[in-house]
């Protein structure tokens, strides 16, 4: 195998677009990584699974040797990766074997965490829950903050517990930080969540546009598919919008190095040109969309010359991008954090939807769009309603959707919180800060490193009156602040399903036993439901399932008739071959490659997941206003003018900090930080500065610098180059669990601000005003 640390993308396997009707021609390349000395022939058993370290959904088999996970091998038969794996997946399995896994529950005694057992730990959680639920305030005291990394069955169980057992609207996932804008923009434009496109669009397209998506480092195998097309016959053109000189930007034909926070100006200018040049499919627009006139009026105000000034990019680059977008025949776009975590996130993401609607670039091979996910199972958090959504992409404001859920769960509709939008994560932490939330249950996420303004988050979690439950694999920065810590089984130690960013559902088998007394998240939630005696309206147990497969069957019933219909899937159907894309029903058992093939969208008021929001303020419109527009299956062309980001630079904080990822690490590094090959590849954070800014500051390559905002500071060595002037980049992966006590702060979120997009409520991690100074180190 080639050195995938040195060259993360491995060797090229070029290919061209298939002839019409022919299957995708992307060659198979099976990547394998086994522990030293082990060969494939020596493996005892293989357990089918898929990647849990990004949303691409790369399928793999887990090698088991002597009862331990001993490596991985890509699955050649899978539609997503044709056998390929990325560096994190090749080595990441080693983290589960780390000798500092949590193996027993911990409870806080006399101020510090002490080893305990399940009886005592769950006893404490249940006692506090009952006390709060039976007292004044009831459900209002509960907050649940979960993940994009559990399995579908676990989220669905949690959603039922929260929404029908306790009846609290205060439930969200870290998906709020991750893909809330994907969901919000899909709902706004197309009526419901769900990716229209498919990865096979890469095989067919003649242009690829990457909007704030460093796919080379964050979805390595998808990037390999793109690169292989670029190296084959009839390669697609490529556009990248990113303030940094990423591997994607270097490969692209047109790089738009926008000043962070100005995406909407760029998009409005591109659409301005498309309309002006007549590069639109007028028939598609007339038949399948609403809002064209208003969009024209809005983008009229933003010609490329104006956007060039706002974004600080050459007009010629905007013109070149508009030419590709306007003349290609099959456009595939992906959007991610450079848009979702930046200024005017939902409004900007909706403009990418608009480009596709204006050009009729949806629902055909090669003409597709992915409002990407980041985390491996974020799609499931959203579809099961373990976040601020209702299960099955139902609309909280539609009483008949609430009745459907009440019927599925056999509860009174009044129990299900639906009198206001569900509480988003940033608001949950605010309620905890103010004291109305008194029990916060955090599963599979590490907010003490990943939320903005960490000093504030630490203060909230450490608050005397807040009872914090943390369910994790390791003793994280967040676990250190908990009252009860529950040890969870990891990927490979439990059974379940999850769905990637192009709607492909994979089964993940249990390969080995969890360490010590660790239990699957599903078993923990089921145990809680039993102890709390949650009942349905006939006095029978509310949660009627007892294991992953019965939970999956329960979910299928809830998904029936909705866009994410799973009724045609079974565990057995997911075994052996490839993952399958939803919707999958008994009448479409092979799944569905693309949504909206006929130009009919999910916007009917009886079906849609939303009644619409104002893009500028997030205000909810309500059914009357929505229905009056008579969407009837047409998509919305949303329009909004550019407004500058709330975080403005000035004399005191003259630079813009943007944060993000490196190919070798995953989030707060609880896994790759424990894998020597990955950790050694990027052992600590750094500060990327443009040569001009470094010069002005007198900073040399490698010199330790201080990055500071009114919230806090971090210290890390400078890396000069590969970023536009005025913008500074710091990876957000590095917290404190493996840092010596007394060392200088190094987490990017010491500096970032509490602020979010008005529509999606996704935090604004990509635009923070800072100053950078020399430390003399
Ligand atoms: N290696 C690795 N892969 C991962 C993950 C990981 O932690 N590590 N995490 C997974 C998850 S959960 C997610 S959400 C995805 C995220 O995947 P990406 O979105 O690709 O990753 P980021 O590095 O957060 O941001 C992407 C780019 O946005 C650019 N950017 C910053 N501000 C702006 C702006 O205002 N406008 C534009 N146009 N661009 C801007 C940054 O320079 C950065 O290169 O990755 C997934 N895959
Ligand atoms: N500044 C800045 N901040 C950011 C971002 C950014 O770009 N910039 N990106 C944001 C984004 S997109 C994301 S997704 C978040 C990620 O932020 P987090 O979700 O906080 O990051 P992780 O390190 O993935 O945390 C997941 C936790 O779950 C645990 N875990 C893993 N598997 C399991 C399991 O099966 N069961 C249980 N119970 N626990 C498990 C892991 O050990 C880990 O502690 O960070 C956000 N924060
Ligand atoms: Mo994410």
């Amino acid at each position: 195998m080639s050195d995938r640390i040195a060259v993360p993308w491995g060797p090229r396997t070029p290919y061209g677009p298939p002839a019409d009707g022919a299957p995708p021609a992307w060659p198979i390349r099976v990547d394998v990584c086994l522990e030293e000395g082990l060969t494939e022939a020596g493996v005892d058993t293989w357990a089918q699974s898929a990647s849990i370290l990004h949303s691409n959904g790369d399928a793999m088999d887990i090698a088991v040797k002597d009862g331990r996970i001993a490596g991985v091998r890509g699955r050649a038969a899978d539609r997503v990766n044709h056998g390929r794996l990325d560096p994190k997946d090749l080595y990441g399995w080693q983290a589960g074997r780390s000798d500092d896994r949590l193996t027993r529950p911990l409870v806080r005694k006399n101020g510090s965490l002490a080893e305990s057992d399940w009886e005592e730990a769950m006893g404490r959680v249940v006692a506090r829950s009952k006390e709060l639920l039976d007292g004044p305030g009831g459900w209002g005291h509960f907050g649940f903050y979960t993940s994009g990394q559990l399995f579908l069955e676990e989220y669905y169980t949690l959603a039922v517990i929260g929404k029908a057992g306790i009846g609290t609207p205060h439930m969200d996932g870290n998906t709020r930080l991750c893909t809330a804008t994907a969901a919000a923009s899909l709902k706004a434009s197309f009526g419901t969540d769900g990716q229209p496109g498919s990865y096979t669009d890469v095989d067919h397209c003649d242009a690829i546009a990457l909007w704030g998506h460093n796919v080379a480092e964050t979805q390595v195998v998808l990037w390999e598919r793109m690169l292989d097309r670029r190296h084959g016959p009839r390669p697609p053109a490529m556009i990248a919008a990113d303030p940094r000189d990423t591997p994607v930007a270097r490969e692209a034909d047109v790089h738009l190095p926008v000043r962070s926070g100005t995406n909407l100006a760029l998009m409005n200018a591109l659409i301005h040109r498309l309309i002006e040049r007549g590069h639109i499919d007028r028939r598609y627009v007339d038949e399948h969309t609403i809002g064209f006139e208003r969009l024209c009026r809005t983008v009229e105000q933003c010609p490329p010359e104006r956007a060039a000034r706002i974004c600080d990019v050459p007009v010629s680059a905007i013109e070149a991008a508009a030419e590709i977008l306007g003349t290609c025949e099959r456009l595939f776009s992906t959007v991610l954090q450079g848009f979702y975590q930046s200024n005017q996130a939902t409004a900007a993401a909706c403009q990418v939807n608009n480009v596709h609607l204006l050009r009729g670039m949806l629902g055909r091979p090669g003409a597709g769009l992915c409002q990407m996910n980041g985390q491996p199972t974020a799609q499931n958090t959203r579809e099961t309603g373990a976040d601020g959504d209702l299960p099955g992409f139902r609309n909280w404001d539609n009483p008949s959707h609430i009745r459907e859920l009440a019927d599925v769960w056999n509860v009174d509709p009044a129990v299900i919180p639906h009198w206001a939008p569900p509480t988003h994560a940033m608001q949950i932490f605010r309620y905890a800060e103010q004291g109305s939330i008194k029990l916060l249950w955090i599963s599979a996420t590490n907010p003490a490193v990943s939320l903005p303004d960490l000093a504030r988050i630490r203060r909230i979690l450490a608050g005397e009156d807040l009872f914090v439950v943390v369910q994790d694999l390791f003793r994280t920065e967040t676990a250190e602040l908990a009252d009860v810590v529950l040890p969870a089984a990891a990927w490979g130690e439990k059974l379940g399903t999850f769905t990637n960013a192009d709607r492909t559902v994979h089964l993940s088998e249990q390969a080995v036993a969890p360490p010590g007394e660790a239990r699957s998240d599903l078993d923990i939630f089921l145990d809680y439901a039993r102890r709390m005696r949650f009942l349905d309206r006939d006095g029978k147990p509310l949660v009627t399932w007892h294991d992953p497969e019965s939970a999956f069957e329960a979910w299928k019933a809830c998904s029936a008739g909705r866009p994410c219909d799973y009724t045609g899937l079974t565990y057995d159907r997911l075994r052996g071959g490839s993952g399958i894309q939803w919707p999958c029903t008994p009448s479409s058992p092979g799944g569905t490659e693309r949504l909206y093939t006929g130009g009919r969208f999910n916007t009917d008021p009886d079906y849609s997941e939303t009644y619409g929001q104002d893009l500028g303020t997030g205000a909810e419109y309500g059914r009357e206003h929505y229905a009056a527009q008579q969407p009837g299956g047409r998509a919305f062309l949303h329009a909004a003018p550019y407004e500058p980001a709330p975080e403005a630079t000035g004399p005191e904080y003259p630079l813009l900090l943007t944060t993000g990822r490196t190919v070798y690490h995953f989030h707060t590094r609880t896994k790759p930080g424990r894998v020597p090959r990955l950790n050694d590849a990027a052992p600590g954070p750094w500060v990327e500065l443009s040569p001009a800014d470094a010069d002005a500051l007198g900073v040399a390559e490698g010199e330790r610098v201080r990055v500071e905002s009114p919230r806090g500071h971090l210290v890390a060595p400078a890396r000069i180059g590969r970023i536009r002037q005025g913008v500074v980049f710091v990876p957000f992966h590095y917290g404190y669990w493996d840092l010596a006590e007394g060392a200088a702060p190094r987490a990017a979120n010491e500096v970032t601000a509490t602020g979010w997009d008005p529509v999606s409520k996704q935090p604004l991690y990509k635009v923070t005003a800072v100053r950078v100074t020399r430390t003399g180190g």
Side-chain angles (χ1 to χ4, degrees):
M1 193 177 72
S2 63
D3 182 350
R4 297 292 299 284
I5 298 294
V7 185
W9 309 289
R12 294 282 51 78
T13 50
Y15 73 119
D20 272 350
W26 193 29
I28 285 170
R29 184 192 88 198
V30 176
D31 295 338
V32 187
C33 178
L34 297 174
E35 71 182 13
E36 218 166 298
L38 184 65
T39 61
E40 287 182 63
V43 170
D44 295 338
T45 53
W46 296 93
Q48 180 176 346
S49 186
S51 171
I52 197 79
L53 295 174
H54 49 77
S55 64
N56 211 53
D58 300 330
M60 67 181 93
D61 290 316
I62 305 172
V64 181
K65 180 71 182 172
D66 300 330
R68 297 199 334 155
I69 295 182
V72 290
R73 179 178 67 194
R75 287 180 63 81
D78 199 88
R79 61 175 302 280
V80 169
N81 55 327
H82 294 209
R84 289 163 188 75
L85 293 176
D86 86 356
K88 285 197 294 358
D89 290 318
L90 286 168
Y91 299 102
W93 51 271
Q94 295 167 7
R97 309 194 334 183
S98 174
D99 56 15
D100 63 347
R101 283 284 300 277
L102 286 167
T103 55
R104 295 182 62 186
L106 310 175
V107 298
R108 193 164 292 280
K109 286 183 179 157
N110 305 322
S112 46
L113 288 172
E115 285 211 341
S116 174
D117 56 33
W118 282 101
E119 266 323 299
E120 186 184 15
M122 285 307 277
R124 283 199 188 196
V125 177
V126 167
R128 185 70 182 133
S129 297
K130 286 191 168 152
E131 187 186 1
L132 291 173
L133 200 55
D134 296 343
W139 52 257
H141 295 317
F142 289 76
F144 291 89
Y145 183 50
T146 190
S147 184
Q149 298 171 44
L150 297 182
F151 291 174
L152 179 151
E153 296 77 359
E154 298 170 334
Y155 295 131
Y156 184 56
T157 306
L158 179 62
V160 175
I161 288 173
K163 287 170 162 74
I166 290 169
T168 181
H170 309 324
M171 175 179 285
D172 203 356
N174 65 358
T175 45
R176 186 63 58 186
L177 326 179
C178 182
T179 59
T181 305
S185 68
L186 291 168
K187 288 182 215 176
S189 297
F190 308 132
T192 65
D193 198 343
Q195 302 294 346
S198 168
Y199 293 158
T200 51
D201 289 331
V202 175
D203 306 339
H204 299 270
C205 66
D206 64 354
I208 297 176
L210 299 151
W211 307 104
H213 186 190
N214 184 11
V215 59
E217 298 202 60
T218 57
Q219 271 149 320
V220 170
V221 171
L222 182 61
W223 178 240
E224 292 175 18
R225 198 167 189 149
M226 295 174 180
L227 273 187
D228 285 348
R229 274 295 318 275
R230 295 271 295 176
H231 283 73
R234 293 199 281 147
M238 189 176 274
I239 300 169
D242 194 310
R244 297 163 61 219
D245 196 14
T246 60
V248 174
R250 292 196 292 279
E251 171 70 22
D253 303 300
V254 180
H255 176 204
L256 299 157
V258 294
R259 225 177 115 73
S260 18
T262 61
N263 295 319
L264 188 56
L266 171 71
M267 295 312 301
N268 282 349
L270 291 169
I271 293 175
H272 178 109
R273 264 297 181 270
L274 290 184
I275 294 174
E276 187 182 61
R277 295 263 155 87
H279 285 157
I280 61 172
D281 182 339
R282 194 60 215 228
R283 208 173 62 100
Y284 192 94
V285 169
D286 289 345
E287 286 177 13
H288 302 293
T289 71
I290 308 177
F292 182 62
E293 304 310 325
R294 189 161 160 244
L295 179 64
C296 288
R297 283 201 304 279
T298 308
V299 300
E300 182 66 45
Q301 312 295 318
C302 197
E305 296 71 23
R306 176 164 177 240
R309 281 194 304 276
I310 295 170
C311 307
D312 191 21
V313 296
V315 186
S316 58
I318 299 180
E319 299 283 5
E323 186 61 22
I324 293 174
L325 294 174
T327 57
C328 64
E329 288 170 9
R330 294 165 192 260
L331 171 67
F332 181 60
S333 284
T334 67
V335 192
L336 202 49
Q337 300 311 353
F339 272 46
Y340 299 167
Q341 295 174 342
S342 193
N343 182 35
Q344 299 185 287
T346 308
C350 281
Q351 302 317 309
V352 180
N353 297 344
N354 287 352
V355 168
H356 283 259
L357 289 167
L358 290 170
R359 295 226 52 226
M361 292 279 183
L362 284 169
R364 289 186 280 123
L369 165 66
C370 284
Q371 294 284 352
M372 270 293 165
N373 297 338
Q375 291 176 90
T377 73
Q379 190 65 51
N380 307 108
T381 320
R382 276 148 45 199
E383 65 204 21
T384 60
D387 64 345
D389 291 307
L390 286 182
F393 299 154
R394 288 180 173 85
N395 182 351
W396 66 268
D397 204 10
N398 182 336
S400 69
H401 285 189
I402 302 298
R403 271 198 306 279
E404 280 171 27
L405 283 177
D407 286 346
V408 173
W409 297 337
N410 193 31
V411 297
D412 187 326
V415 173
I416 303 172
H418 65 281
W419 52 90
T423 316
H424 61 89
M426 302 303 287
Q427 192 66 43
I428 288 176
F429 276 83
R430 178 74 178 135
Y431 289 158
E433 183 173 40
Q434 291 170 320
S436 67
I437 285 182
K438 297 188 185 304
L439 187 158
L440 183 59
W441 190 326
I442 298 169
S443 46
T445 181
N446 189 9
V449 181
S450 57
L451 279 177
D453 192 358
L454 288 182
R456 170 177 176 257
I457 298 301
R458 284 190 291 264
R459 206 167 52 237
I460 295 171
L461 290 173
E464 276 287 298
D465 292 338
L466 183 68
F467 185 84
V468 178
V469 182
V470 169
Q471 193 166 310
D472 205 292
L473 316 178
F474 299 103
R475 203 159 156 165
T476 60
E477 292 85 345
T478 307
E480 291 299 342
L481 300 169
D483 295 282
V484 173
V485 180
L486 305 174
W491 168 91
E493 300 163 0
K494 60 182 182 179
L495 172 66
T497 56
F498 50 90
T499 306
N500 78 344
D502 86 338
R503 295 174 282 102
T504 307
V505 186
H506 286 112
L507 181 75
S508 186
E509 301 271 15
Q510 181 175 354
V512 298
E517 295 173 27
R519 287 184 186 167
S520 76
D521 296 277
L522 179 65
D523 284 340
I524 297 172
F525 293 141
L526 289 174
D527 185 33
Y528 180 68
R530 250 185 326 264
R531 289 173 191 254
M532 289 295 288
R533 296 185 192 285
F534 295 127
L535 301 177
D536 70 7
R537 62 179 145 199
D538 296 326
K540 302 225 174 68
L542 171 69
V543 176
T544 53
W545 48 95
H546 57 277
D547 67 359
E549 193 159 4
S550 53
F552 187 76
E553 291 300 317
W555 160 248
K556 279 164 62 179
C558 184
S559 76
R562 296 300 299 164
C564 50
D565 194 321
Y566 279 65
T567 50
L569 291 171
T570 61
Y571 273 23
D572 273 349
R573 291 210 53 229
L574 291 169
R575 286 194 169 105
S578 171
I580 299 174
Q581 287 170 290
W582 64 244
C584 177
T585 63
S587 60
S588 60
T592 307
E593 189 150 34
R594 296 180 183 83
L595 305 184
Y596 312 129
T597 46
R600 208 187 144 71
F601 298 90
N602 294 336
T603 50
D604 189 284
D606 292 332
Y607 196 70
S608 69
E609 194 178 357
T610 174
Y611 290 144
Q613 280 171 277
D614 174 52
L615 284 192
T617 62
E620 308 264 350
Y621 283 133
R623 185 174 177 111
E624 204 178 331
H625 176 275
Y626 183 84
Q629 298 174 76
Q630 301 186 308
R634 288 179 294 167
F636 290 95
L637 291 165
H638 286 289
Y642 163 76
E643 302 284 351
E647 278 272 311
T649 52
E652 234 187 310
Y653 300 102
L655 294 169
L656 278 180
L657 170 73
T658 194
T659 58
R661 296 163 164 76
T662 162
V663 68
Y664 304 111
H665 280 299
F666 183 65
H667 299 167
T668 72
R669 284 169 58 255
T670 62
K671 286 178 181 173
R674 290 175 167 88
V675 175
R677 290 232 49 200
L678 296 173
N679 200 47
D680 295 350
W686 65 90
V687 179
E688 281 174 26
L689 284 169
S690 72
D693 290 327
D695 248 15
L697 293 163
V699 169
E701 172 77 23
E703 182 181 339
R704 283 166 72 77
V705 294
R706 181 181 164 105
V707 179
E708 191 171 358
S709 80
R711 272 82 50 189
H713 75 279
L714 64 94
V715 177
R719 266 193 203 173
I720 299 173
R722 303 220 154 156
I723 190 159
R724 59 153 302 129
Q725 195 177 345
V727 180
V728 182
F729 173 87
V730 177
F732 86 100
H733 304 295
Y734 301 87
Y736 301 105
W737 61 268
D738 60 338
L739 191 66
E741 217 169 301
R746 63 171 180 176
N749 284 322
E750 299 292 349
V751 179
T752 52
T754 304
W756 55 80
D757 180 64
V759 185
S760 67
K761 323 293 192 241
Q762 184 158 349
L764 202 68
Y765 290 114
K766 300 280 195 254
V767 197
T768 308
V770 296
R771 76 169 151 252
V772 175
T773 47
R774 305 179 61 187
T775 62

